[in-house]
């Protein structure tokens, strides 16, 4: 029982038996169709050789076999022209034998011309090792033919035969090497161009992704704080039927709305193309000098939730911090206060800043547990943004619940702690 297998099924050379009843045999090697140019070269060489034979034009006069014997090497050489691309080594071997056989006849110029083309094709389309060996082999063969001709003829005609042997073997082999080198150089240049374009596209994609991530962090940090306060106080105003509470909530809502719009205008100003006019110049980025205002705003927003906010700035006097460090520290404190307003139960919230010779340490501690009353939803993007900011500065970041005895708080309870360490080079003030 025989069965045709799939196209990509590998079968051993001697066949295989499956399940005791199916025998598979490997497919014979598939012959490639000759290239159209090879067919034209073979046909032109054959027709030209037959025409020269019919006209009685030969290369060796009447010293060799005549008649149809001249056509045998011609036909063999034209058949090898069909294999000059698909099987260059085979074509060169058979063509060499055909050229030797042609020397025993009156000879044909077409046979010699086709042999030079096969030598050229063997170097151009063959393997790299063949391209290195064939020129040296033809040079050695030319030397051998020259020495043999001088020894046999014992006249200067031997040198002429050596020159002819070099013209039909060394010259096409050298030409094939030059063309192959140029072709390989062009291919390598094309590949380098494609790789450069691919790397440029990858760099552009990474730059766009990094810029989108940066914009997402800025937008979240600038707007989330104000929107969270608006959501909490609007929920409180709707749930409590008290005129004073509603008025206080609306006041806080208005303040955060105005502040949020100002932050949005600043972000839009950063995204637009700025010019030298003062009305379109974006506002400067927030620094740690604005932490007092930030904590005071959080104190106002969290008064109705029973949260108290304290700022402990122990940095002392020293060189100015780099702008990226101040920006990252400010955003970390801002996001931590926002998370405390959204999720923390009643209790103290402490913001601590400490600076050493090599780093700026930021720590925000807030109560941890279930929160009664209105609560704003969270998506977890704040922690991701803080972690990304610290990672961009090669710092250390940790956030999560810890025991109260590890930081300020009541012993036996848990608190939520955000801690970041931002590297600072104090010598030149660069992060």
């Amino acid at each position: 029982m025989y069965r045709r297998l799939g196209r990509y099924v590998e079968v051993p050379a001697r066949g295989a038996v499956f399940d005791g009843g199916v025998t598979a045999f490997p497919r014979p090697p598939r012959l490639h169709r000759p290239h159209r140019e090879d067919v034209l070269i073979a046909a032109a060489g054959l027709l030209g050789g037959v025409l020269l034979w019919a006209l009685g034009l030969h290369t060796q006069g009447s010293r060799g076999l005549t008649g149809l014997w001249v056509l045998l090497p011609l036909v063999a050489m034209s058949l090898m022209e069909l294999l000059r691309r698909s099987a260059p080594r085979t074509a060169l071997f058979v063509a060499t034998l055909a050229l030797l056989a042609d020397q025993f006849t009156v000879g044909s110029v077409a046979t010699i011309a086709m042999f030079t083309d096969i030598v050229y094709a063997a170097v151009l389309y063959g393997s790299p090792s063949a391209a290195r060996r064939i020129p040296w082999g033809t040079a050695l063969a030319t030397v051998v033919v020259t020495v043999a001709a001088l020894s046999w003829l014992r006249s200067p005609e031997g040198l002429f035969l050596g020159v002819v042997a070099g013209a039909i073997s060394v010259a096409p082999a050298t030409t094939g090497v030059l063309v192959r080198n140029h072709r390989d150089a062009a291919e390598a240049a094309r590949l380098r161009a494609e790789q450069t374009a691919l790397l440029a596209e990858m760099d552009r994609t990474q730059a766009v992704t990094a810029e989108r991530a940066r914009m997402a962090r800025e937008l979240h940090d600038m707007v989330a704080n104000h929107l969270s306060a608006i959501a909490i106080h609007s929920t409180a105003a709707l749930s409590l039927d008290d005129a004073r509470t509603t008025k206080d909530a609306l006041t806080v809502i208005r303040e955060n709305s105005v502040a949020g719009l100002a932050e949005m205008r600043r972000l839009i100003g950063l995204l637009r193309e700025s010019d030298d006019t003062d009305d379109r110049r974006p506002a400067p980025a927030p620094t740690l000098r604005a932490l007092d205002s930030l904590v005071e705003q959080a104190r106002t927003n969290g008064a109705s939730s029973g949260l108290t906010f304290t700022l402990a700035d122990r940095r002392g006097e020293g060189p100015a911090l780099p702008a990226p460090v101040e920006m990252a520290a400010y955003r970390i404190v801002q996001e931590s206060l926002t998370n405390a307003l959204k999720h923390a139960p009643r209790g103290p919230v402490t913001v601590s800043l400490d600076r050493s010779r090599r780093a700026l340490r930021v720590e925000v501690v807030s109560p941890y547990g279930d929160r009664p009353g209105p609560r704003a939803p969270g998506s977890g993007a704040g922690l991701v943004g803080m972690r990304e900011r610290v990672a961009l500065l090669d710092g250390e970041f940790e956030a999560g619940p810890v025991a109260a005895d590890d930081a300020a708080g009541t012993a036996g309870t848990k608190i939520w702690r955000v801690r970041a360490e931002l590297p600072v080079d104090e010598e030149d003030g660069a992060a």
Side-chain angles (χ1 to χ4, degrees), residues 287-337:
T287 62
L288 294 180
R289 289 192 297 269
L291 280 184
D292 293 332
S293 301
L294 183 63
V295 174
E296 182 62 29
Q297 181 184 11
R299 187 179 293 115
T300 302
N301 295 335
S304 60
S305 302
L307 293 172
T308 59
F309 294 86
T310 305
L311 175 61
D313 191 351
R314 297 184 291 270
R315 289 178 296 162
E317 297 295 333
L321 291 171
V325 174
E326 288 210 18
M327 181 70 172
Y330 181 90
R331 293 304 185 194
I332 290 172
V333 173
Q334 184 183 40
E335 180 59 30
S336 299
L337 295 180

Side-chain angles (χ1 to χ4, degrees), residues 46 67-80 94-95 97-108 110-112 114:
L46 180 61
L68 296 177
W69 292 103
V70 180
L71 299 181
L72 293 179
L74 178 67
V75 172
M77 197 72 73
S78 62
L79 291 177
M80 291 304 101
V94 178
L97 297 180
L99 181 65
L100 294 177
D102 185 68
Q103 303 307 310
F104 294 95
T105 66
V106 291
S108 174
T111 302
I112 298 175
M114 286 190 289

Side-chain angles (χ1 to χ4, degrees), residues 361-373:
R361 296 180 180 85
V362 180
E363 183 175 286
V364 181
V365 177
S366 59
Y368 178 75
D370 295 332
R371 171 180 179 164

Side-chain angles (χ1 to χ4, degrees), residues 47-213:
L47 293 178
V50 172
L51 180 61
L52 293 175
W53 172 75
L55 295 177
L57 298 177
H58 307 291
T59 59
Q60 302 186 74
S62 58
R63 289 183 298 176
L65 300 175
T66 60
L68 296 177
W69 292 103
V70 180
L71 299 181
L72 293 179
L74 178 67
V75 172
M77 197 72 73
S78 62
L79 291 177
M80 291 304 101
E81 287 282 10
L82 300 177
L83 304 178
R84 62 192 295 271
R85 294 174 190 260
S86 58
R89 289 188 300 180
T90 302
L92 179 61
F93 177 74
V94 178
T96 303
L97 297 180
L99 181 65
L100 294 177
D102 185 68
Q103 303 307 310
F104 294 95
T105 66
V106 291
S108 174
V109 176
T111 302
I112 298 175
M114 286 190 289
F115 176 78
T116 59
D117 178 71
I118 291 176
V119 174
Y120 166 80
V123 176
L124 183 61
Y125 302 114
S127 61
S129 60
R132 291 190 301 267
R133 295 172 183 173
I134 290 176
W136 292 104
T138 55
L140 180 61
T142 300
V143 173
V144 171
V145 169
T146 304
V147 173
L150 290 174
S151 301
W152 180 263
L153 299 177
R154 298 182 181 276
S155 67
E157 293 182 0
L159 292 177
F160 177 74
L161 292 178
V163 172
V164 172
I168 65 176
S169 60
V170 177
T174 305
T175 304
V177 170
L178 295 177
V179 174
R180 184 184 182 115
N181 291 337
H182 284 291
R183 184 191 66 180
D184 293 343
E187 182 68 16
R190 185 184 67 82
L191 292 178
R192 283 196 300 269
E194 292 180 354
Q195 292 176 356
T196 302
L198 179 60
L199 291 176
E201 180 64 21
M202 292 175 61
D203 291 340
R204 188 191 68 83
T205 303
Q206 292 177 356
V208 171
T209 303
E211 183 63 18
R212 291 179 62 181

Side-chain angles (χ1 to χ4, degrees), residues 159-418:
L159 292 177
F160 177 74
L161 292 178
V163 172
V164 172
I168 65 176
S169 60
V170 177
T174 305
T175 304
V177 170
L178 295 177
V179 174
R180 184 184 182 115
N181 291 337
H182 284 291
R183 184 191 66 180
D184 293 343
E187 182 68 16
R190 185 184 67 82
L191 292 178
R192 283 196 300 269
E194 292 180 354
Q195 292 176 356
T196 302
L198 179 60
L199 291 176
E201 180 64 21
M202 292 175 61
D203 291 340
R204 188 191 68 83
T205 303
Q206 292 177 356
V208 171
T209 303
E211 183 63 18
R212 291 179 62 181
R214 187 187 69 84
M215 292 171 57
R217 288 194 301 269
E218 291 293 328
L219 183 61
H220 178 273
D221 293 342
M222 286 191 298
V223 179
N225 185 25
H226 303 293
L227 292 182
S228 300
I230 292 173
I232 293 173
H233 285 82
S234 60
T235 303
L238 293 174
S239 60
L240 300 177
D241 189 10
D242 182 70
R244 181 174 179 83
T245 303
T246 302
K247 183 178 180 180
D248 294 340
L250 292 177
T251 302
V252 175
I253 289 173
R254 183 185 181 282
E255 292 176 354
N256 283 275
S257 300
V258 173
L261 289 175
E263 294 284 355
M264 286 295 296
R265 282 195 296 269
R266 190 181 75 82
L267 178 61
I268 294 173
L270 291 174
L271 297 178
R272 287 179 177 174
E273 293 181 359
S274 61
D275 52 20
D276 294 335
T277 58
D278 293 336
D279 56 344
R280 295 188 60 185
R281 187 177 301 167
T287 62
L288 294 180
R289 289 192 297 269
L291 280 184
D292 293 332
S293 301
L294 183 63
V295 174
E296 182 62 29
Q297 181 184 11
R299 187 179 293 115
T300 302
N301 295 335
S304 60
S305 302
L307 293 172
T308 59
F309 294 86
T310 305
L311 175 61
D313 191 351
R314 297 184 291 270
R315 289 178 296 162
E317 297 295 333
L321 291 171
V325 174
E326 288 210 18
M327 181 70 172
Y330 181 90
R331 293 304 185 194
I332 290 172
V333 173
Q334 184 183 40
E335 180 59 30
S336 299
L337 295 180
T338 300
N339 290 338
L341 288 173
K342 291 193 296 186
H343 307 294
R346 294 176 177 270
V349 179
T350 304
V351 179
S352 303
L353 281 84
D354 189 10
R355 177 176 178 177
S356 64
R357 186 173 178 271
R358 292 295 182 181
L360 172 67
R361 296 180 180 85
V362 180
E363 183 175 286
V364 181
V365 177
S366 59
Y368 178 75
D370 295 332
R371 171 180 179 164
R375 182 175 181 178
S379 61
L383 291 176
V384 175
M386 289 189 289
R387 195 178 302 276
E388 289 178 351
R389 289 184 183 278
V390 176
L392 288 175
L393 297 176
D394 292 331
E396 298 179 1
F397 177 81
E398 59 179 7
V402 295
D405 55 355
D406 291 340
T410 304
T413 62
K414 279 193 173 183
I415 58 174
W416 182 273
R417 183 180 63 187
V418 176

